[in-house]
Amino acid sequence: MLQTVYRWIDERLEISPIIDHALKKRVPDHKHSAWYYWGGICLFFFMVQVVTGILLMIYYRPGPDAYDSVRQITYEIRFGWLIRSVHAWSANLMIGAVFVHMFSVFFMKAYRNPREFGWWSGLALLALCMVFGFSGYLLPMDELAFFATRVGLAIPDALPGMSQLISALLRGGPEVSSATLQRFFALHVVVLPAIFVPLLGFHLWLVQKHGNALPPSEEAKPAAERRSIPFFPNFAMRDMAVWLMALNLLALLVALFPLQLDVAADALKPAPVGIHPEWYFMSQFEALKLLGHVIPGTLGEFVGLGVFGVGMGMWAAIPLFDSRVTTSLRARLTTWFGLLFLAALILLTIIGYIEVL
Amino acid sequence: MNYPVWDVPILGSGLVIALIAIFHVFISHFAVGGGFYLPMTESLALRKGRNDWLAELKKHSKFFLVLTGVFGAVTGVGIWFAIGNANPEATSTLIHFWVFAWGIEWVVFLVELSALAAYFYLWGRVSNPLHIRLGWLYAIAAWLSLFLINGILTFMLTPGQAWLNAAGTGNETFSFWAAFFNPTFWPSLIVRTLICLTQAGVFALVTASRIDGQRQPELKTEMTEWARRWLLPSFLLLPIALFWYLAEVPAAQRALLDLGNSTVGQGLFTLLSRLKLVFLISSAAVVAAVYLFTSKRNAVGFGLGSALGVAAMAYVSIGSMEMLREMLRKPYVVGQHMFSNGVRKSEVARMNRDGYLTNAAWVRPEERARWTSPDHGQNSAVPDLSRGELMFRGQCMACHTLDGYRGMRKLLLGRDHKGIANLIAVLHTYSDDSPYRPFMPPLVGTTAEVEALTDFLAAQVSGTNSVPNKP
Amino acid sequence: MSDCPQEPEPNSSISRRAFLRAGAAAAGACYAAALGYPVYEYLATAAHKAEAEGAQKEVVLNDIDKLPIPSALMFKFGGRPALLIRHGESSWTALSAVCTHLGCTVQFSPEKNQIFCACHGGIYDPATGANVSGPPPKPLSPYRVVVDQGKAVISRA
C-alpha cells in the first residue's frame, strides 16, 4: 500500500534520487564531530520560531492595541505566556547557536573552496536574524521595548544625512510611535521571512551539495584512517537527541524565567535607568561608545561605523584570503584573526554589561 | 514566636533548606540506586566472567563510599540544621511525634554505612557470594532508610485524618501507623524508588560513555545497553507514578498546579504549573534521547558530552519534581495542621483575639509594655515599626525576604500605604475567594498588630518612615 | 556477540521488536500530545471566551432592595465575575469584576468607597469603574443596570 503510494509519487516527482542521496550520505566521525550538530540546532530553533510566531500572530494586534494584546497573551490566554516566552527565549538561543555555528565553521576552516557561498549565505542569515531580533523587540510596545528601540535607532541617526532617511523609511516619523510599530511588524512577519526562507533553502542545499567539511587535522590524515558514519539513521538519530536537549533547555529557561510585560510605552516619560540593547548588539553598542570617548562627535560615529564596515568586510572576505587546503602563513594568520575577533566580541560585551548593571 | 527567627538576607531561610535539600536528594537517591546497581552489576559480571567490569566496579564502590558517607551524611545533617533554624515549630513537631521512627532510621543508617564500608574494603578478600551479599545488605539498609523518611515526608503533605483528629490531644502516638502509612505513602515510595533507579542509570550511562569505543567496542556496547535498562523503564514509569501520587493529594493542593496555566503574574504562585511542564518534558526527553543515543548503531560512538547532556536533563526532571513536591505543601508545612510560618491552624482564632506577639517568648518586656499602654495608637504620631517588624519576622520571613527571594520590596512595588493595608486585610480576613488563600497562610494578630505590620511594610517600600497618621 | 547464550528465538525476537515499536510509537504520541495540549488550549481560549460571553445576554438579580447602602453584590455574567454596587437608595452601578491588570477578581470596599484588586493593589472608582491608582491599564468595563421593584436587570452596555 505504502509502496504503491510511493511509486505513484515517484513517477511524477522523481524523488528517488533525493532519497538515495539521503541514504548514501555519510558524516565524518572524529573528535570535533560535535560541532556538526550546531547547524541543526539553529534550524531547530528557527522552526520553533516559525511555529510560535504564527501562534502569536493569532492573538497579536499591531497598531494602538498592540500592548493590550500582548498583555492578554501573557496574562489571560491559556498558555499564552508559554508561547510568548518560548518565542522570545528561542530567538535568543537561535542567535546564540548561530554564533557558535559561525565560529565553529571558522575555526574548522569549513569556508574554504568550494564552500565560500555557504559562508556568505550564513553571514547573511545571521544579519537577518539580528534584524529579526531588533524588529521583534519593539512589538510588545512596552516601556522596555520602546526605549530599547529608541536607543538602537539613535546610533545611525547621529550620522549626518541618515536621520532623514531613517525617519522617513524606518521610523515613520521623528519619534518611535505606532507608525514605527506597524512598519516593524510588516518587516518582522512578511519582509524578513520572505528573504530568510529562500536564503536558508540555498544554505541547506549547499550543505547537501558539498557535504560536511573536514577540519584540517582530519584532512591531514590518510583517507583510510578517516572514519565516518551513515547520515541516516545513525547521525539523524543523534541529531534528534540533540534537538530534544535543545527543546529541554528552552523549556527550562521558559519555566524559570518567563517573560513579563513592562508598563505600556509612554514617549513622554524619561528613559528608565540601565536601558541597553539585547546581548547580541551589546559589543557593537559598546565599541561605538568607547570610540565616542576617544573621538568625540559625529567624526567618532563615522570612524566607528567605518571600522565596523571594514571589519565586517574582512570577516566576509576570509574565504578569499585563506582558500587553500595546505597549512600556510595565511591559514595561521586567519586563525589568529578569528581568535582576536572572538576575544574582542566577548570582552566588549562584558564591558557593556558591567557599565549598564 | 516561641523561637528566635533565622534571618538570612537575600536568600531567605526557606531557600537555604531547598539548596541543601536538592543536593541531598540527588546524593541520597543515588546512594540507594547505586546500592542496587553494585551487587547486580557484580553478579552479572561474574556470570559473564568479565574481569574488566569488576575492575571498574571496584573503582565505583570507592566513589559511592566517599559520596554517600561524606556528602550524603553531611548534607543530611545540614538539612536538620537548616530546618531547625528556619522552622523550629515544625521541626519540633516532627521530632516529638516521630521520635521512634528517627530511632529506627538511625540504626538503619548505621547498618548502611558499615555495610558499604565492608563492601569496599573486602573486595577480593572474601568469597564472591559473600561479597555480593554484603552489597545487597547495603542496598536493603539504604532503601529502608528511604522507606522510613518517606513516611515522615509524606506525612507532612498528607498527615491523614486519624492523626489530624488526634493532633493536640496528647494521644497522637496512637495514630502513629496511620500517619506513617498515610495516603501518599505508597505512591511516593514508588516515585522515590524509581528516582533511585534513574540515578543509578545516569551513573551507569556516564561511566559507559567514557569507555573507548574504538578499543573496546564490545564492552562499550554492553555497558551502554546495561545503563539503558536502568534508565528507560524508570523514566517511563516516573510520570505515571507521579500522577498516582498527585491523585492522592487533597484537591485544594492539587489546584496549585493549575494556577499558572493562563498567567505568569508575579506573586501569584505560578511556578508550580511551569515546573509540572518541565518535569514532563524532561522525563520524556531523557527516554527519547537515551533511546536515540544508545541504540545498537550509535552505542560505540556514544560520547561523554552526550551522556552529560542526558544526565543534565535527568537532573532537571528530578529537580523540578522535587521542587514541585515541596511547593505543593503550601500554605501548610504539616498538611491541614500547621501553616508554613509555624502558626497552627487551631491557634488562628486565639491569636486573632489575644494577639500574635502577646505570648511571644522573644519580645522584650518594655516593648510589650509600650504596646499595651492605653494611649498607644491614639496619640502616638510615630508608627511602631518595631512591632510591625516582629510581625514580619514571625509570620512572613519563613517564605519572604525584603530584597531577595520573593522579596517584599519588589512584590509591593507601586503600592501606597492604602494599597498595602488592602492587601494585608485580604490576608487577615482569609476569605474563601481570596486569591492568596491557595498558597499563603492567614495573617494572624489583633487589629493593632496588623496595622503595625502595614506601617512596617509601607515604610520598607517607600524607603522612609513617613507614613500617614492613623485615623 | 554470536556466542551469546541468551540469544532469543527468532520468533520471540519479532514479537519483542513489534512490542518495542508499538511502545516507541505510543511514547511518541504521548510526547506529541503533551506538546500539542498547550497549543490547543491556547487556540481554544478565544472560543471559550466567546462561548461564555455569548451564552448570556442578561442577568436578573432579585431582592436587591435588601442590600445595605453602600455595599456590593458579586454575581456572574457570562461566566466571569461582576459586581453590582449600591451607592444610594436608587443609585446603582454594575461593573466587570475582572481586574484589567492581570485578571484577578476585584472587590468592593464600602468603608473606603473604592474597588480594589488584592493581587497587585490596583484601585478603581466604584461609580464609573475608572482606574484610579496602581497598575491597571484600563477601567473596568461597565454593564447597563435597570432596577424595578427590587429586581435588577443587568445587560451589556
Side-chain angles (χ1 to χ4, degrees), chain A residues 29 37 72-82 85 227 229-230 232-242 244-249 251-252 254-260, chain B residues 214 258 260-266 271 273-275 277-278 281-285 288-293 295 297-302 305-310 312-313 316 323:
Chain A
D29 183 31
Y37 294 127
Q72 282 176 4
I73 290 172
T74 318
Y75 299 117
E76 280 176 26
I77 289 160
R78 281 169 71 79
F79 297 107
W81 60 269
L82 178 71
S85 300
R227 278 180 286 115
I229 56 170
F232 195 85
N234 295 34
F235 191 80
M237 282 171 91
R238 293 187 195 182
D239 229 4
M240 282 303 289
V242 170
L244 286 169
M245 285 187 195
L247 181 65
N248 211 64
L249 175 67
L252 185 67
V254 164
L256 294 184
F257 312 103
L259 254 79
Q260 300 286 346
Chain B
Q214 298 307 316
D258 290 328
N261 279 356
S262 59
T263 180
V264 276
Q266 280 167 324
L271 180 63
S273 308
R274 304 199 296 272
L275 287 176
L277 293 179
V278 168
I281 210 167
S282 6
S283 308
V290 168
Y291 177 77
L292 293 165
F293 270 142
S295 63
R297 307 168 173 283
N298 277 330
V300 171
F302 180 62
S306 315
L308 291 179
V310 173
M313 289 196 294
V316 167
M323 209 163 151

Side-chain angles (χ1 to χ4, degrees), chain C residues 61-81:
Chain C
L61 300 170
N62 291 316
D63 292 338
I64 53 155
D65 45 354
K66 289 184 188 135
L67 281 177
I69 303 169
S71 75
L73 181 70
M74 190 72 89
F75 64 97
K76 289 229 162 178
F77 194 105
R80 312 188 91 196

Side-chain angles (χ1 to χ4, degrees), chain A residues 67-226:
Chain A
Y67 175 80
D68 199 45
S69 67
V70 178
R71 186 186 63 76
Q72 282 176 4
I73 290 172
T74 318
Y75 299 117
E76 280 176 26
I77 289 160
R78 281 169 71 79
F79 297 107
W81 60 269
L82 178 71
I83 308 287
R84 175 171 175 239
S85 300
V86 166
H87 194 69
W89 269 113
S90 169
N92 280 292
L93 289 175
M94 174 168 83
I95 294 184
V98 174
F99 270 108
V100 174
H101 184 45
M102 177 178 81
F103 279 106
S104 70
V105 163
F106 185 91
F107 290 116
M108 280 164 74
K109 302 207 180 289
Y111 48 76
R112 284 172 170 173
N113 183 1
R115 297 188 172 83
E116 292 90 339
F117 278 101
W119 177 249
W120 292 325
S121 57
L123 286 186
L125 287 170
L126 173 60
L128 286 175
C129 280
M130 290 170 88
V131 184
F132 258 124
F134 186 71
S135 57
Y137 204 76
L138 178 67
L139 299 185
M141 209 55 184
D142 62 352
E143 199 165 70
L144 197 66
F146 177 82
F147 284 104
T149 307
R150 188 150 89 169
V151 171
L153 285 180
I155 296 170
D157 227 14
L159 296 171
M162 280 297 275
S163 177
Q164 184 75 38
L165 212 60
I166 285 174
S167 191
L169 297 181
L170 210 53
R171 198 164 35 209
E175 181 58 278
V176 174
S177 65
S178 57
T180 325
L181 182 77
Q182 202 72 27
R183 275 153 205 251
F184 274 37
F185 179 68
L187 190 68
H188 192 80
V189 307
V190 180
V191 181
L192 290 174
I195 307 172
F196 193 92
V197 172
L199 197 58
L200 181 62
F202 176 63
H203 193 75
L204 292 176
W205 175 71
L206 286 176
V207 176
Q208 302 315 312
K209 189 172 167 60
H210 297 308
N212 295 71
L214 283 175
S217 59
E218 283 292 305
E219 293 253 292
K221 285 184 189 169
E225 276 180 34
R226 294 183 203 152

Side-chain angles (χ1 to χ4, degrees), chain C residues 65-145:
Chain C
D65 45 354
K66 289 184 188 135
L67 281 177
I69 303 169
S71 75
L73 181 70
M74 190 72 89
F75 64 97
K76 289 229 162 178
F77 194 105
R80 312 188 91 196
L83 277 172
L84 176 69
I85 304 168
R86 185 174 203 186
H87 303 286
E89 194 51 48
S90 59
S91 160
W92 302 87
T93 324
L95 295 166
S96 152
V98 181
C99 182
T100 55
H101 177 222
L102 303 184
C104 294
T105 301
V106 297
Q107 27 197 318
F108 176 67
S109 153
E111 311 90 63
K112 294 170 189 146
N113 191 33
Q114 66 182 25
I115 296 173
F116 73 96
C117 174
C119 285
H120 297 89
I123 293 175
Y124 301 87
D125 177 13
T128 61
N131 42 332
V132 177
S133 88
K138 284 197 305 193
L140 296 170
S141 52
Y143 293 109
R144 188 198 318 239
V145 199

